[in-house]
Amino acid sequence: MPDSTSTHPHNERSSWLVVGGGVMGLKIARDLIERGQDVTIAEAAPVMGGLTSAWNLGDVVWDRFYHVTLLSDSKLRDLLTEIGLESEIDWVETKTGFYAGGQLLSMSNTAEFLKFPPLSMIQRLRLGGTIFYASKIKNWRRLEKLSVEKWLRRWSGNGAFEKVWLPLLKAKLGDAYTQTSAAFIWAHTARMYKARRSGAKKEMFGYVPGGYARILDRLVEVLSDRGLTVKTSSPVQQVQSADQGGLNVTFGDGRTEHYDNVVSTIASPLIARSCDELSDDEKHKLSDIRYLGVVCASMLLKEPISPYYVTNITDTWVPLTAVIEMSTIVDSETQLGGNHLVYLPKYLPDDHDGLNESDADYQEKCLSTLEKMYDHFSRDNVLDFKVARAKYVAALATVDYSTRLPRIVTSVPGFYALNSAHILEGNLNVNETIQLGETKLAHEVWPDYQRRIAAGQVSDKPSPDLANA
Ligand SMILES: Cc1cc2nc3c(=O)[nH]c(=O)nc-3n(C[C@H](O)[C@H](O)[C@H](O)COP(=O)(O)OP(=O)(O)OC[C@H]3O[C@@H](n4cnc5c(N)ncnc54)[C@H](O)[C@@H]3O)c2cc1C
């Protein structure tokens, strides 16, 4: 997938460190290798993949956080084609449920939607109209100026807002919904509409057999064959301009290495802390970005609990954002050892105490909630239960968010801050992350690098000279 900006004379070969071995880091590494560069990835964790990384649940290896691919995820599908996995995607038609008023309801098509019991017919029509209208909006920047509450009350009316939108917003965003802009709802609606449009009006979700563990293994293998160096268990602590030009990078174990360029893909507040030389304005902008975090349980079960991939929850006593039954998509026999996989996520703002709740407390909360929600649910059905958490998942789309974003090309020569916080036209997902990485590398990072080359600011030695301090 090279674009016109990827052609370059071979003598402009310099060393790049990509900080963060998630999807964004891997995509940037791939595109830099494509441009003939020497690329190393430093990942803090012992394994690659960040939010897409996997773990063991019983004998099953699957993603720590649930992931599906949509038919419309063209950038991700291109990448999977490149590494030979796209043709293996298993596409499955999905159903959506709602837990409302103590009842589990199917909401998988328009007919079911029009019968949605908690709402009057007028409220249902206004709710449906709002979703349809949101899907038609092209100019998201207008929405970014309005609070999501104001916008939804205006279009759906107070009744539908109080009964449906408010519980959903609180479940997903906690109290941070009050600062969130209407672009948040637009991004979610647009993704779901795209999924249906490209799938003959059906909601088709897909996964690669073996899950993201397999995708990551193959991608790292392909990129390593092309010259990528991977350093896991290598947290970057500090990036500093070097006297000889380029940047000195200090790792958690005190080791220092020299690179001509560094692209950091880690969360914005962490980027602020990793480079003291950034200006105060840059540090403030990076630190001020609020994130949503998540606590997410993975549960391996003997029996399924529902036919729905997602069960949205509007009953406010339920302390979960949703119930995600992954095994309605992922084949139980071939992928999950004949068992069933359910995720129980709770999204919380990055400074919320709930992100530090102990595994045992979260497990007890989840199991007692499921016992109340599903008559047939029993703890004896649970084969394994594990809790994953992440503080920095998605930057919160606050009012006027895009006007406060820090620049990708920083004031420190050769240091680039390119992470998923720059996703403006969609919600956080792998496809958007890859697309953002590709576009911003091509249109901001690479032109700045070439400008520095032309100005003689990057050494023209053929390969990195790593110096241990
Ligand atoms: C619960 C949940 C459900 C999701 N569902 C879907 C889905 O269904 N479909 C979909 O497409 N997407 C989904 N996503 C989103 C998807 O996971 C993200 O879009 C993607 O993983 C973001 O990748 P990233 O590289 O930007 O960030 P990350 O994966 O967070 O990568 C950042 C990396 O930087 C590393 N790091 C941090 N600090 C340092 C340091 N100092 N030095 C070195 N390394 C460091 C971290 O360890 C991490 O590996 C989901 C995410 C979550 C949490």
Side-chain angles (χ1 to χ4, degrees), residues 173-380:
L173 301 165
D175 288 341
Y177 85 88
T178 54
Q179 299 158 39
T180 305
S181 83
F184 173 82
I185 285 291
W186 169 80
H188 275 267
T189 315
R191 181 160 166 83
M192 287 307 134
Y193 255 81
K194 257 199 218 162
R196 286 178 193 219
R197 240 179 258 137
S198 49
K201 297 282 169 206
K202 290 175 186 161
E203 203 165 70
M204 299 283 280
F205 286 168
Y207 70 98
V208 170
Y212 263 88
R214 179 132 176 272
I215 298 175
L216 291 164
D217 278 356
R218 180 69 67 86
L219 185 55
V220 170
E221 183 188 327
V222 168
L223 295 182
S224 300
D225 285 350
R226 295 181 195 168
L228 174 69
T229 303
V230 172
K231 296 185 181 214
T232 49
S233 302
S234 297
V236 166
Q237 250 176 11
Q238 197 52 225
V239 178
Q240 268 179 310
S241 298
D243 293 342
Q244 74 268 40
L247 298 154
N248 284 331
V249 178
T250 309
F251 291 88
D253 59 5
R255 184 170 37 106
T256 299
E257 296 178 358
H258 178 266
Y259 293 88
D260 297 319
N261 313 274
V262 173
V263 184
S264 188
T265 71
I266 65 181
S268 301
L270 301 179
I271 296 181
R273 277 183 247 153
S274 73
C275 185
D276 289 345
E277 282 170 50
L278 289 169
S279 69
D280 286 346
D281 180 56
E282 285 170 313
K283 281 187 206 155
H284 283 140
K285 281 186 167 154
L286 287 161
S287 313
D288 284 352
I289 294 179
R290 302 259 343 254
Y291 274 78
L292 262 192
V294 73
V295 185
C296 184
S298 292
M299 209 169 50
L300 195 66
L301 301 173
K302 290 184 223 162
E303 301 293 334
I305 56 174
S306 88
Y308 308 117
Y309 170 61
V310 180
T311 299
N312 295 299
I313 296 164
T314 54
D315 285 9
T316 46
W317 66 265
V318 179
L320 301 170
T321 300
V323 175
I324 310 287
E325 193 146 356
M326 199 72 212
S327 38
T328 58
I329 297 179
V330 174
D331 187 64
S332 159
E333 292 308 319
T334 60
Q335 304 297 310
L336 304 171
N339 302 307
H340 299 266
L341 176 58
V342 170
Y343 291 92
L344 303 167
K346 178 68 191 166
Y347 288 87
L348 295 162
D350 57 12
D351 57 358
H352 199 286
D353 282 347
L355 287 174
N356 305 318
E357 185 173 5
S358 75
D359 289 6
D361 287 353
Y362 193 66
Q363 175 166 349
E364 181 49 40
K365 196 192 263 180
C366 287
L367 294 178
S368 55
T369 299
L370 293 179
E371 283 165 346
K372 284 189 215 149
M373 284 174 72
Y374 303 91
D375 289 341
H376 57 278
F377 180 79
S378 150
R379 292 176 193 232
D380 298 340

Side-chain angles (χ1 to χ4, degrees), residues 436-448:
L436 177 85
E438 181 172 312
T439 312
K440 297 293 183 186
L441 182 78
H443 297 294
E444 298 195 32
V445 175
W446 192 250
D448 182 72

Side-chain angles (χ1 to χ4, degrees), residues 94-108:
T94 58
K95 287 188 175 165
T96 300
F98 253 80
Y99 186 77
Q103 279 180 292
L104 196 57
L105 307 161
S106 182
M107 276 274 268
S108 305

Side-chain angles (χ1 to χ4, degrees), residues 19-24 42-44 49-52 65-68 191 234-236 266 270 294 347 393 420 428-430 433:
V19 186
V23 169
M24 177 67 101
E43 165 55 48
L51 297 173
T52 59
F65 300 107
Y66 49 95
H67 285 89
V68 285
R191 181 160 166 83
S234 297
V236 166
I266 65 181
L270 301 179
V294 73
Y347 288 87
V393 173
S420 66
L428 179 81
N429 58 70
V430 171
T433 305

